[in-house]
Amino acid sequence: MKKQTIFYGLIMTLLAVACSKGPQGDIGPMGTKGVMGDAGAKGTAGDTGVKGVTGETGNSNVIYTEWRSPDFKEPMEGLLNRQQFQPFDIPFPLLTQEVLNTSQVFIYAKNRQLILENGGVLRLVENIHEVSNPMTASYYLFPGRSGLSIDDYGSHSVSISAFLRPNVITCGGGVLRLAPGTNVSTTANVTVPEMANKTPAFYRDFMKELVKYRVVIIKGNVAGRMAAVDMKDYAAVKAAFNLKD
């Protein structure tokens, strides 16, 4: 029995030695590169994107200003029924001598006309005209009046010119201080109370709210295309040359 135990002990020792980890061997050579596989099937095309909005057409041959208000300076004295301002020059560098020689210059004024609607209702509506046109009467509402009667309105005027000399625009204008249809006398002051005894600064600020103007310069190389555009019709000019308000 003792011999058998010794025999089994030797067997287990040999097995333990055989199973123990030996020193690490050298790295083997790199294996051969495998063959590339077949390409996969092409995926389904995606949906077409939504077409973008077309941009607005520009026009480098047309120059125009924003709408501006004339800032009148010196009042004329001794006028009973109106506040008139001396013509004055507005610096305008775009109006070079070359522009005057080779381009066409148009000035548009924005004011208000008085209309009688159905039912006898009076209303002031915006009017835009090219200043070389004979000016239609332009009106304003006397401060604090209801506007229900013709007597609630006065008229005003403005003159704007860009053709006297380069680099300036000449502007003048004023307000009548009486109602339309008043029997004006050179000796009687019929100024309405709301417009009487005001300072020149009051009338200057008042006029700035009544009138605005814009200058449009059309370069000479597009003059031939203007034949179909009525330059005295601001709506037609705005549409033809993509003017922005």
Side-chain angles (χ1 to χ4, degrees):
M1 184 66 178
K2 186 176 181 180
K3 292 181 177 180
Q4 187 177 9
T5 302
I6 293 172
F7 175 76
Y8 282 118
L10 288 173
I11 294 298
M12 293 302 292
T13 300
L14 290 173
L15 287 174
V17 171
C19 293
S20 64
K21 185 176 181 180
Q24 183 173 345
D26 296 333
I27 298 174
M30 181 179 292
T32 304
K33 184 177 181 180
V35 179
M36 182 180 292
D38 296 333
K42 185 177 181 181
T44 305
D47 296 333
T48 302
V50 178
K51 184 177 180 181
V53 178
T54 302
E56 296 175 350
T57 302
N59 194 335
S60 61
N61 295 313
V62 179
I63 302 171
Y64 60 93
T65 69
E66 73 278 9
W67 288 104
R68 300 175 177 179
S69 297
D71 188 8
F72 296 98
K73 305 298 182 184
E74 299 298 326
M76 297 175 69
E77 304 296 338
L79 303 176
L80 289 178
N81 301 313
R82 67 182 184 275
Q83 175 64 68
Q84 198 75 17
F85 289 92
Q86 297 281 4
F88 71 103
D89 291 337
I90 303 171
F92 197 77
L94 289 176
L95 200 65
T96 63
Q97 187 63 58
E98 181 182 3
V99 166
L100 291 175
N101 292 341
T102 63
S103 305
Q104 297 193 49
V105 180
F106 299 90
I107 303 178
Y108 297 91
K110 180 189 294 186
N111 47 37
R112 297 174 181 86
Q113 287 183 290
L114 184 62
I115 65 170
L116 183 64
E117 295 183 326
N118 293 335
V121 178
L122 291 165
R123 187 165 65 92
L124 290 172
V125 296
E126 183 178 85
N127 173 55
I128 301 176
H129 69 284
E130 204 273 319
V131 297
S132 66
N133 280 349
M135 180 178 289
T136 56
S138 303
Y139 291 92
Y140 68 94
L141 181 67
F142 293 136
R145 299 282 184 101
S146 66
L148 299 178
S149 167
I150 189 68
D151 293 331
D152 292 340
Y153 298 90
S155 63
H156 65 89
S157 63
V158 64
S159 61
I160 306 173
S161 173
F163 306 103
L164 298 180
R165 58 192 186 279
N167 301 316
V168 296
I169 292 174
T170 302
C171 182
V175 292
L176 285 175
R177 299 180 292 201
L178 48 85
T182 301
N183 184 14
V184 180
S185 169
T186 57
T187 58
N189 188 341
V190 291
T191 300
V192 299
E194 292 87 348
M195 299 298 289
N197 302 317
K198 302 295 184 181
T199 65
F202 169 86
Y203 292 110
R204 184 171 59 246
D205 293 341
F206 196 75
M207 282 289 291
K208 287 174 66 174
E209 296 300 317
L210 295 180
V211 179
K212 295 184 183 299
Y213 70 94
R214 159 176 277 181
V215 181
V216 179
I217 299 172
I218 312 294
K219 294 185 179 180
N221 56 358
V222 295
R225 304 205 318 259
M226 292 169 49
V229 181
D230 182 0
M231 299 303 294
K232 297 186 183 301
D233 181 351
Y234 178 75
V237 173
K238 179 181 176 181
F241 299 110
N242 298 316
L243 307 189
K244 305 301 174 191
D245 283 336

